[in-house]
């Protein structure tokens, strides 16, 4: 049951989150009207953003932002539902098994991109690549989070060859540049053969196919000449949970992104005898002993 925290009678009612207020946690975040008490280790280990923003643990008797319910670290640029889904990556009780839908992985991708969690972003992308996503939605998601455009080759092609023209609303979602590129691709793909008459309707039959269509899409969208429509798979890397086995046994696709700093290990001064952060139970790469999050997270997936 959530506990109300409202030191000022006139202040907005703030609640401790029912699952992610972990009593072994050492940093308290506020997202909307909820307090999340979690382990700073995951944030400083994996994110250049939080390594810069989170204060060091205060000495006994001193208080810093994030050290108490009355002085939380406020995340104003996040939604509660997105943050719940994001934390699930670290506190997933099923360890290397991740099962979520497109919207859930998009929430995770959004915050990972925003906060520079490079490995979490790679995880979210890998899982999204395994799911069926409508072409337009996939383009919008990937473009919004700086994903390699080569992974959108099939989606660009699908919108180029579909019968229905790009609508005004779809154009707004796609953005001006992509909408104009698609309009041009659709026009060229339907151009009449030499000596033929141009159709007067927007749903003219496709006159390009195979390698010609493939070359057109690559050229107009500035894709790599040899860029595959499937993700490039590098050597296997560890999962964001710190366990040695990549999620579902799959490797991580390379991302066409730039960050302000790569993830780096936590200094030894902040680690326990087994390499985990001080305050995190032995062997708890997922941040809570035996995968238990406040005794309520067992068997749960991300928030729907």
């Amino acid at each position: 049951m959530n506990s109300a925290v409202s030191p000022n009678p006139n202040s907005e009612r703030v609640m401790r989150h029912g699952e992610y207020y972990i009593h072994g946690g050492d940093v308290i975040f506020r997202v909307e009207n909820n307090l999340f008490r979690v382990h700073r280790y995951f944030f400083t280990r994996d994110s250049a953003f939080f390594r810069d923003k989170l204060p060091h643990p205060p000495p006994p008797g001193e208080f810093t932002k994030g050290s108490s319910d009355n002085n939380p670290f406020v995340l104003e640029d996040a939604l509660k539902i997105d943050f719940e889904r994001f934390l699930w990556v670290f506190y997933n009780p099923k360890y290397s098994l991740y099962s979520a839908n497109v919207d859930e992985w998009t929430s995770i991708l959004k915050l990972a991109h925003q906060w520079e969690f490079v490995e979490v972003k790679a995880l979210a992308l890998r899982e999204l690549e395994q799911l069926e996503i409508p072409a337009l939605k996939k383009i919008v998601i990937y473009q919004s989070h700086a994903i390699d455009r080569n992974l959108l080759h099939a989606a660009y092609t699908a919108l180029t060859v579909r019968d229905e023209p790009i609508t005004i609303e779809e154009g707004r979602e796609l953005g001006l540049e992509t909408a104009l590129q698609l309009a041009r691709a659709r026009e060229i793909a339907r151009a009449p053969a030499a000596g033929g008459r141009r159709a007067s309707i927007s749903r003219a039959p496709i006159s390009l196919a195979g390698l010609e269509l493939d070359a057109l899409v690559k050229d107009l969208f500035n894709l790599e000449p040899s860029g595959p429509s499937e993700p490039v798979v590098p050597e296997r890397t560890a999962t964001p949970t710190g366990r040695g086995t990549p999620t579902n046994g799959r490797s991580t696709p390379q991302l066409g992104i730039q960050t302000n700093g790569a993830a780096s290990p936590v200094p030894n001064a902040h680690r326990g005898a087994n390499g985990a952060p001080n305050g995190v139970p032995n062997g708890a790469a997922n941040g809570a002993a035996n995968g238990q999050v406040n005794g309520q997270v067992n068997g749960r997936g991300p928030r729907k």
Side-chain angles (χ1 to χ4, degrees):
M1 183 176 182
N2 291 353
S3 300
V5 178
S6 184
N8 185 340
N10 297 320
S11 67
E12 194 172 20
R13 185 178 178 85
V14 179
M15 309 292 292
R16 290 179 175 179
H17 193 269
E19 292 180 34
Y20 294 121
Y21 191 92
I22 306 169
H23 290 288
D26 55 359
V27 63
I28 297 173
F29 293 108
R30 176 177 171 177
V31 180
E32 297 186 51
N33 297 330
N34 282 258
L35 296 176
F36 296 80
R37 183 173 178 177
V38 292
H39 297 93
R40 72 171 58 235
Y41 168 68
F42 298 119
F43 291 82
T44 56
R45 180 193 67 178
D46 293 345
S47 166
F49 174 87
F50 281 104
R51 281 196 296 275
D52 179 60
K53 298 295 183 182
L54 272 181
H56 293 291
E62 295 186 17
F63 296 95
T64 60
K65 187 180 294 184
S67 61
S68 70
D69 288 0
N70 293 331
N71 189 25
F73 191 103
V74 180
L75 298 174
E76 296 179 347
D77 51 357
L79 299 176
K80 172 180 173 252
I81 185 64
D82 290 339
F83 196 54
E84 289 171 338
R85 292 167 174 174
F86 184 79
L87 290 177
W88 169 76
V89 171
F90 301 112
Y91 295 105
N92 173 18
K94 295 185 179 179
Y95 300 103
S96 63
L97 299 178
Y98 289 89
S99 178
N101 61 36
V102 172
D103 290 339
E104 290 160 351
W105 282 118
T106 301
S107 288
I108 295 165
L109 177 68
K110 173 185 174 182
L111 294 185
H113 173 66
Q114 181 174 305
W115 294 332
E116 302 175 43
F117 282 81
V118 177
E119 290 300 321
V120 178
K121 183 174 182 178
L123 168 66
L125 173 58
R126 182 174 70 240
E127 295 298 328
L128 284 169
E129 282 292 298
Q130 309 304 315
L131 302 176
E132 292 291 332
I133 309 175
L136 186 138
K137 183 174 183 178
K138 185 170 185 176
I139 292 171
V140 172
I141 292 171
Y142 281 34
Q143 288 186 163
S144 298
H145 304 104
I147 301 298
D148 184 359
R149 296 184 84 183
N150 286 291
L151 296 174
L152 292 173
H153 181 263
Y156 291 138
T157 302
L159 292 184
T160 297
V161 302
R162 82 174 191 185
D163 289 339
E164 297 79 10
I166 304 300
T167 67
I168 293 176
E169 182 58 36
E170 288 174 334
R172 292 195 184 102
E173 290 186 66
L174 291 165
L176 179 62
E177 180 182 347
T178 301
L180 290 176
Q181 287 172 320
L182 280 169
R184 181 61 176 156
R186 290 175 57 82
E187 179 184 12
I188 295 174
R190 289 165 174 76
R197 297 182 60 188
R198 179 178 293 276
S200 59
I201 59 174
S202 61
R203 298 185 182 182
I206 298 292
S207 59
L208 294 180
L211 294 177
E212 290 184 331
L213 180 61
D214 185 67
L216 169 66
V217 171
K218 288 179 179 178
D219 180 59
L220 286 180
F221 292 96
N222 299 313
L223 307 183
E224 294 293 333
S226 58
S229 58
E230 295 296 324
V232 178
V233 180
E235 295 181 1
R236 292 185 175 184
T237 59
T239 64
T241 63
R243 301 179 69 84
T245 304
T247 301
N248 292 338
R250 294 190 294 272
S251 298
T252 304
Q254 294 177 342
L255 306 181
I257 60 174
Q258 295 181 343
T259 64
N260 294 329
S264 61
V266 175
N268 290 333
H270 297 293
R271 294 181 179 273
N274 293 302
N278 293 329
V280 179
N282 292 342
N286 281 348
N290 300 321
Q292 294 180 347
V293 178
N294 202 22
Q296 300 181 39
V297 76
N298 287 329
R300 296 194 180 184
R303 285 301 181 103
K304 304 293 182 181

